[in-house]
Amino acid sequence: MNTILARLNALFAFSLSVTAAVAFACFLTTNFLDYSQKVDIDVNKVVIKNMEEFYVGDRHDLGHIIFTLKANFTPVFNWNCKELFLYLMAEYETPQNKLNQVVLWDHIINRGENPVVNIRKRSNKYYFFDDGAFLRGNKLQISLHWNIIPNAGYLWRVPGGGSITLDLPESYGTSRI
């Protein structure tokens, strides 16, 4: 009964149980914290263009947005927060789709890096295409969301503490941003 393999098995099972208990305690100490923060978003310029799709030949709206973003994520970081994944999302409604969500920009903040985001007049990082020609004259809500990547526990998706709603231009633009 007391062979080396039996003792190694008991030691492994005990260490696995202790590791699971420590990970669960880590999860419990940070699970009920408030991870919301105030975010200031400002849109400086919006241009809507009607572009022809390369292979299909259909025409779709393409939006270019210049935005300013200010946020301080210092209180979000704790000993269980490994990194933050920030993304700026645009939401709008069209006759074809009740809810359209497009990610315009993203950024990763690792623990130990500067948690203050101060972006001035940045253009969208990803294409802002509509699957039709419904961007002109539409209402657009832009908000910052983030995922908290923990060492152990739940992967949080937190909506930002601020958003901006704006009316898109009625006519197509011809200028570059």
Side-chain angles (χ1 to χ4, degrees):
M1 179 74 184
N2 291 332
T3 65
I4 289 287
L5 290 177
R7 290 180 185 195
L8 286 175
N9 186 27
L11 182 65
F12 177 72
F14 176 73
S15 62
L16 194 62
S17 299
V18 169
T19 304
V22 168
F24 186 69
C26 177
F27 161 73
L28 280 181
T29 58
T30 58
N31 187 44
F32 302 108
L33 298 177
D34 182 23
Y35 290 113
S36 62
Q37 291 297 316
K38 184 174 178 342
V39 176
D40 293 325
I41 302 170
D42 189 28
V43 174
N44 304 96
K45 187 175 181 183
V46 178
V47 175
I48 305 294
K49 295 181 180 181
N50 193 264
M51 306 290 290
E52 186 173 345
E53 198 170 342
F54 186 66
Y55 289 112
V56 181
D58 294 340
R59 298 192 69 83
H60 299 286
D61 284 354
L62 172 68
H64 293 284
I65 295 177
I66 302 245
F67 63 93
T68 299
L69 179 66
K70 294 179 187 175
N72 184 2
F73 292 103
T74 305
V76 173
F77 278 96
N78 54 43
W79 65 277
N80 191 25
C81 181
K82 190 179 351 181
E83 70 181 16
L84 288 179
F85 177 71
L86 310 172
Y87 54 100
L88 192 68
M89 187 170 17
E91 296 181 6
Y92 61 100
E93 184 178 326
T94 61
Q96 290 180 339
N97 301 314
K98 186 73 173 160
L99 178 64
N100 296 289
Q101 294 179 324
V102 178
V103 174
L104 301 174
W105 171 87
D106 66 1
H107 182 67
I108 294 175
I109 302 175
N110 292 315
R111 182 182 9 213
E113 293 179 359
N114 185 11
V116 177
V117 175
N118 190 7
I119 296 173
R120 302 168 127 309
K121 296 186 178 178
R122 174 87 44 102
S123 181
N124 48 314
K125 188 176 180 180
Y126 303 109
Y127 286 114
F128 179 24
F129 266 115
D130 183 44
D131 61 349
F134 301 111
L135 285 182
R136 282 183 308 152
N138 207 337
K139 284 202 178 299
L140 183 71
Q141 181 181 11
I142 298 176
S143 57
L144 184 73
H145 300 262
W146 55 89
N147 288 349
I148 298 173
I149 315 298
N151 291 318
Y154 182 71
L155 179 69
W156 290 95
R157 180 184 179 271
V158 182
S163 66
I164 185 169
T165 303
L166 58 121
D167 292 325
L168 294 174
E170 292 285 339
S171 61
Y172 291 122
T174 57
S175 67
R176 286 188 60 134
I177 288 201

